[in-house]
Amino acid sequence: DDILYGIAGGKHVKVHLIDGRIINVASGLENLYGQWAHHKVFLILSSKIIINIAHIKQLGLLRVHMKDGAAFSLSPSCKKAIQEMQN
């Protein structure tokens, strides 16, 4: 519940938490998603970004805005997946 999103870079993922902390995890994005997938609130947006849909502030046409102010580009298929997961 504390995880907002993760951004992959090299062999690490920077995991952004709701309290503002950022934790560097020595893992690939796909591996991390595999560990989190059972929570059913995580979605991979791209090869570098995973989000927790429970912490979306606003879902725009082509962007998703998170509660901490971060915004990420969004494909139509990802937007549809988010809408289905939120229902």
Side-chain angles (χ1 to χ4, degrees), residues 16-48:
H16 294 250
L17 305 178
I18 195 74
D19 65 5
R21 290 182 297 145
I22 300 172
I23 298 171
N24 284 314
V25 178
S27 176
L29 194 67
E30 293 284 337
N31 184 42
L32 205 54
Y33 177 74
Q35 295 174 32
W36 296 349
H38 67 280
H39 291 290
K40 308 243 187 275
V41 293
F42 292 100
L43 179 70
I44 294 178
L45 292 185
S46 71
S47 62
K48 295 191 178 278

Side-chain angles (χ1 to χ4, degrees), residues 16 44 65-66 68 74 76-77 82:
H16 294 250
I44 294 178
H65 299 266
M66 304 303 291
D68 70 343
L74 190 63
S77 61
I82 290 169

Side-chain angles (χ1 to χ4, degrees), residues 46-65:
S46 71
S47 62
K48 295 191 178 278
I49 300 168
I50 184 172
I51 65 167
N52 181 339
I53 67 162
H55 293 297
I56 292 175
K57 182 178 180 181
Q58 181 182 10
L59 184 59
L61 183 62
L62 295 174
R63 291 186 77 69
V64 60
H65 299 266

